[in-house]
Amino acid sequence: MPTATLTLPETGFLRQPQVLAFVPISKSTLWRRIQARTFPDPVKLSERVTVWRAEDIRRWIAQQGAPV
């Protein structure tokens, strides 16, 4: 049975579960890093919708030295 490989999009928005699929950290660690300014800031689309720009996540991953 073939396995699906995740590909980080070039542009667009990612919700929290999608970000965590590419960045192997917990939800708590994600928010701690955002507070500490060591992870890209999210974008608030509405009261209940928070996203990250794919470009920001790609850049952050590249800065960590991991292949995208």
Side-chain angles (χ1 to χ4, degrees), residues 34-49:
I34 291 166
Q35 247 183 342
R37 307 296 241 172
T38 60
F39 196 80
D41 285 330
V43 176
K44 218 47 182 147
L45 294 182
S46 71
E47 183 181 330
R48 297 183 56 167
V49 178

Side-chain angles (χ1 to χ4, degrees), residues 13-64:
F13 293 119
L14 303 171
R15 300 286 300 264
Q16 181 176 304
Q18 294 168 305
V19 170
L20 293 176
F22 293 103
V23 181
I25 58 177
S26 70
K27 287 189 254 184
S28 299
T29 300
L30 173 70
W31 290 103
R32 268 196 304 273
R33 288 185 178 192
I34 291 166
Q35 247 183 342
R37 307 296 241 172
T38 60
F39 196 80
D41 285 330
V43 176
K44 218 47 182 147
L45 294 182
S46 71
E47 183 181 330
R48 297 183 56 167
V49 178
T50 301
V51 296
W52 285 261
R53 290 180 185 89
E55 301 91 342
D56 294 346
I57 301 304
R58 280 184 165 280
R59 190 176 314 111
W60 185 84
I61 291 172
Q63 289 170 350
Q64 305 312 302

